[in-house]
Amino acid sequence: MSNLVRVSLSLEENLLENLSRLVKKNGYENRSEYIRDLIRDQMTREQWKSGGEVIGTLSLVYNHHRRGLTEKLVELQHHCGCRVLASTHVHLSHEICAEMVMLRGDGNEIGKLANAMKSLRGVLHADLSMSTTGRNIS
Ligand code: NI
């Protein structure tokens, strides 16, 4: 674990009030832990932008009655420039399915795959959650 270093910073009164409100609203015990998480969140965004190795989870809701859609979704995952770590399929109703695909690799490649999957006809909703391998953000 890295050494803890104490820092002080200057903030406008309004910003400090907003910070305190956000800390409380988000259930943090103190400002330090909240600011640590803000920094980690920003570093994760940077990893995605810079093409570093990241973790992404794509959630999809689609109509499996759409001709050829299931095959296309599988085909895209087989030929993507990233690794599929896991996927889960749930049958929501007679025709609607939900799927979660967890991916590891270059952020740009994961983004390309997510866009290719979400733009297919029959996909009703798709959302990419951008996360990190945890490396270099502590
Ligand atoms: Ni299904």
Side-chain angles (χ1 to χ4, degrees), residues 1 41 48-49 53 59 62 100:
M1 189 177 162
D41 198 43
W48 274 83
K49 276 193 217 154
E53 189 183 46
S59 303
Y62 62 91
M100 262 177 18

Side-chain angles (χ1 to χ4, degrees), residues 9-28:
L9 66 152
S10 309
L11 287 179
E12 283 79 4
E13 216 175 309
N14 269 356
L15 272 184
L16 181 61
E17 280 168 20
N18 279 318
L19 175 64
S20 301
R21 187 178 52 76
L22 288 168
V23 167
K24 202 172 170 189
K25 185 182 168 192
N26 289 289
Y28 282 80

Side-chain angles (χ1 to χ4, degrees), residues 62 64 89-92 96-98:
Y62 62 91
H64 85 263
H89 183 111
V90 180
H91 315 299
L92 294 178
I96 304 297
C97 303

Side-chain angles (χ1 to χ4, degrees), residues 62-67 69-70 89 93-97 122:
Y62 62 91
N63 185 331
H64 85 263
H65 284 175
R66 171 67 63 172
R67 188 183 293 273
L69 176 58
T70 309
H89 183 111
S93 68
H94 180 65
E95 56 187 15
I96 304 297
C97 303

